[in-house]
């Protein structure tokens, strides 16, 4: 689904990583860890086409990302649900409209009628549907972002530090939702610092843990 | 071309959801509305000027082309006889419909603006003027001059060519300046709307980022801005045009006050022309905003 082959990425002269390989198979569950500044967020952005690799090849659903126009990338994004640490909402719109936004931009508003209510119930935000994002707590915002990421029923869910701003209980709740999605056949890639979250997840799902360090991606050992 | 038509139709049909994605921005909204209104107001005046000078050029051209003047400069005791001979020559000249000597009263009226009302016209050696009205394709001025030279030595024919040509040329240039002013107003409107649109796009960088994150294509994002600016320009231009038309309508009537400037305005079907200003402003806004949006989206990618 998403394949990175000998990929390098540089910010100016500073090379963040090089000769990096990654393959996300359908239905797989991955954690991406590593020290701050190692390039986890950059790697995720390469995976959903927000950034272009400075070398190597990125294939998104079989298409070479470097040859895709902006509109082509937009079509790819509809197959990848993204959850940011800072969520990124349209603050002037109610939560329900923010969650339904991917359907609207894809001209599939009709699907929102039934799905949206179910989704709000699934993430426990039915009561907050008409509130605006700034009125939500950190955990509620993360759940709303997760709901928005899955409303298009994407093939892949990519989450960048989804539990970074929430307490333990809420992080467990978010993890449960992500595991449920994986059990529904979705591919999940989560970047996180939270080793406890990874340990808990490994009890529920067969997860592969990747560590980004020294410009390379390593398979994490049994210490996790 | 097909894409442009589809875009315009989509714009007219509207997409309230795309519109809602962009928060309303009071400053750029007011700026666009005011700019469009002010420019439309000026465009109506430029149009009125252009149409009035067009009418003036046509009128001068027609009036001066259909008449000429014969001046009899002869000693007082021969003037009446030469005038009669000249009339006789003119009456037998093909292309001359009528010829008549101006009365002393008419000649006094012509001189009054220059010498005042108490002009003792009888005491002055003023030449006798004969007005010639042409018909059909007019007379042959070279042939008539030759005949007059032979039969009426004191007659000088003025076919108004030397007056008509510079006047008509001046009116033509004024008309061209009017249309040039309208074109400049259109360009200035486009430039100002482009700046306002760029400002709105920069202020909404986060909105654009979120919409891209959820899979919005550039055309969808641009449409939200384009539709909004087009509507504002249309509304502003409609207000400006209405005010401009009222102002032109309120100008003094040409028949009452006379003169060129008081003839500024629209006549009959000419009132339809200013109604084109709002849709044209909307088209300018559409093109300017779309170009600005696509360029900005390209730069932000």
């Amino acid at each position: 689904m998403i394949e990175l082959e000998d990929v390098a990425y540089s910010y100016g002269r500073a090379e963040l990583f090089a000769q990096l390989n990654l393959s996300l198979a359908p239905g797989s569950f991955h954690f991406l860890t590593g020290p701050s500044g190692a390039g986890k967020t950059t790697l995720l952005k390469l995976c959903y086409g927000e950034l272009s690799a400075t070398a190597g090849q990125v294939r998104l659903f079989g298409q070479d990302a470097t040859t895709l126009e902006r509109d082509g990338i937009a079509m790819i994004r509809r197959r990848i649900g993204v959850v940011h640490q800072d969520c990124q909402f349209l603050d002037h719109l109610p939560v329900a409209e923010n969650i339904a936004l991917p359907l609207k931009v894809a001209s599939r508003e009709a699907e929102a009628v039934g799905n949206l209510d179910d989704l709000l119930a699934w993430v426990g935000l039915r009561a907050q549907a008409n509130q605006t994002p700034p009125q939500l707590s950190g955990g509620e915002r993360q759940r709303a972002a997760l709901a928005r990421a899955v409303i298009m029923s994407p093939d892949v869910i990519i989450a960048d530090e989804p539990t970074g701003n929430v307490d333990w209980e809420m992080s467990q709740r978010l993890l449960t939702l992500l595991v449920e999605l994986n059990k529904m056949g979705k591919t999940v890639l989560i970047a996180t610092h939270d080793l406890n979250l990874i340990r808990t997840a490994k009890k529920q799902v067969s997860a592969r843990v990747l560590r980004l360090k020294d410009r390379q991606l390593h398979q994490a050992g049994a210490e996790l | 071309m097909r894409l442009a038509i589809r875009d315009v139709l989509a714009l007219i049909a509207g997409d309230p959801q795309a519109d809602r994605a962009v928060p309303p921005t009071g400053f750029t909204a007011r700026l666009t509305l005011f700019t469009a209104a002010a420019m439309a107001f000026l465009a109506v005046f430029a149009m009125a000027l252009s149409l009035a000078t067009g009418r003036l050029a046509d009128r001068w051209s027609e009036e001066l082309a259909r008449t000429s003047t014969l001046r009899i400069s002869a000693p007082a005791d021969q003037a009446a006889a030469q005038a009669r001979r000249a009339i006789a020559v003119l009456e037998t000249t093909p292309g001359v419909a009528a010829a008549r000597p101006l009365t002393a009263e008419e000649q006094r009226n012509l001189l009054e603006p220059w010498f005042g009302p108490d002009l003792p016209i009888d005491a002055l050696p003023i030449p006798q003027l004969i007005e010639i009205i042409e018909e059909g394709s007019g007379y042959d001025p070279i042939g008539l001059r030759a005949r007059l030279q032979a039969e009426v030595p004191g007659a000088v024919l003025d076919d108004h060519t030397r007056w008509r040509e510079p006047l008509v040329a001046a009116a033509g240039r004024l008309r061209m300046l009017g249309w040039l002013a309208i074109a400049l107003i259109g360009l200035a409107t486009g430039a100002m709307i482009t700046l306002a649109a760029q400002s709105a796009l920069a202020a909404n960088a986060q909105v654009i980022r979120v919409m891209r994150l959820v899979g919005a294509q550039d055309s969808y994002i641009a449409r939200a801005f384009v539709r909004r600016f087009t509507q504002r320009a249309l509304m502003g231009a409609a207000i400006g045009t209405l005010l401009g038309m009222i102002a032109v309508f309120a100008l003094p009537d040409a028949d009452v006050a006379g003169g060129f400037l008081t003839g500024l305005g629209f006549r009959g079907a000419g009132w339809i022309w200013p109604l084109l200003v709002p849709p044209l402003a909307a088209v300018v806004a559409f093109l300017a905003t779309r170009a600005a949006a696509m360029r900005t989206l390209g730069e932000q990618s």
Side-chain angles (χ1 to χ4, degrees), chain A residues 1-3 45-53 56-80, chain B residues 212 217-218 297-298 301:
Chain A
M1 293 192 130
I2 294 177
E3 290 173 295
K45 286 181 176 177
L46 288 170
C47 289
Y48 61 84
E50 187 167 334
L51 294 176
S52 294
Q57 196 176 41
V58 176
R59 277 191 299 276
L60 306 176
F61 302 100
Q63 297 182 71
D64 185 350
T66 55
T67 63
L68 287 170
E69 298 288 325
R70 290 200 302 276
D71 283 353
I73 293 289
M75 299 307 286
I76 293 285
R77 295 254 178 94
R78 295 177 188 181
R79 300 181 66 183
I80 303 174
Chain B
R212 280 200 161 135
Q217 292 181 321
D218 283 2
L297 291 171
S301 64

Side-chain angles (χ1 to χ4, degrees), chain A residues 28-44:
Chain A
S28 58
F29 199 116
H30 298 258
F31 280 105
L32 179 63
T33 65
S36 295
K40 296 191 294 296
T41 298
T42 300
L43 182 54
L44 294 188

Side-chain angles (χ1 to χ4, degrees), chain B residues 92-118:
Chain B
T92 57
T93 301
V96 173
R100 67 171 189 92
L102 295 191
T103 63
E105 184 66 24
E106 286 174 318
Q107 297 210 161
R108 182 182 288 113
N109 288 343
L110 284 174
L111 293 169
E112 194 179 284
W114 311 97
F115 296 104
D118 303 324

Side-chain angles (χ1 to χ4, degrees), chain B residues 8-9 30 33 40 45 89 101 103-104 137 151-152 173 188 237 264 285 293:
Chain B
V8 172
L9 289 175
R30 284 194 295 275
L33 206 68
F45 269 89
V89 168
T103 63
S137 57
E151 298 183 35
V152 191
R173 281 194 202 101
L264 195 67

Side-chain angles (χ1 to χ4, degrees), chain B residues 6 17-18 24 53 55 92 100 144 160 230 241 250 257 270:
Chain B
R6 204 170 57 201
Q17 297 299 346
T53 48
R55 281 196 307 273
T92 57
R100 67 171 189 92
L144 181 58
H160 298 166
T230 304
T241 300

Side-chain angles (χ1 to χ4, degrees), chain A residues 48 50 70-71 74-75 77-78 82 84 87-90 92-94 97 101-102 104-105 109 148, chain B residues 15 17 20-23 206-207 209-220 294 297-298 301:
Chain A
Y48 61 84
E50 187 167 334
R70 290 200 302 276
D71 283 353
M75 299 307 286
R77 295 254 178 94
R78 295 177 188 181
V82 180
H84 273 270
C87 299
Q88 300 203 356
F89 290 113
L90 299 181
H92 63 288
L93 292 183
E97 283 193 49
L101 195 61
K104 286 171 185 166
V105 302
E109 296 96 318
R148 184 183 64 186
Chain B
D15 185 350
Q17 297 299 346
R20 276 179 60 76
V22 181
Q206 170 65 10
V207 170
R209 202 158 35 243
V210 171
M211 289 178 79
R212 280 200 161 135
L213 183 71
V214 299
Q217 292 181 321
D218 283 2
S219 56
Y220 182 93
M294 296 312 274
L297 291 171
S301 64

Side-chain angles (χ1 to χ4, degrees), chain A residues 152-165:
Chain A
M152 291 277 282
S153 191
D155 300 304
V156 180
I157 314 289
I158 292 178
D160 189 4
E161 300 283 0
T163 59
N165 293 326

Side-chain angles (χ1 to χ4, degrees), chain A residues 83-91 95 99 125 132-148 162 165-166 170 174, chain B residues 206:
Chain A
V83 182
H84 273 270
Q85 185 175 8
D86 58 358
C87 299
Q88 300 203 356
F89 290 113
L90 299 181
D91 287 345
V95 169
I99 293 173
L125 290 176
T132 56
Q135 293 174 294
L136 301 183
S137 68
E140 288 169 338
R141 285 168 65 84
Q142 288 292 352
R143 281 182 281 148
L146 183 59
R148 184 183 64 186
N165 293 326
V166 297
M170 184 54 66
L174 283 164
Chain B
Q206 170 65 10

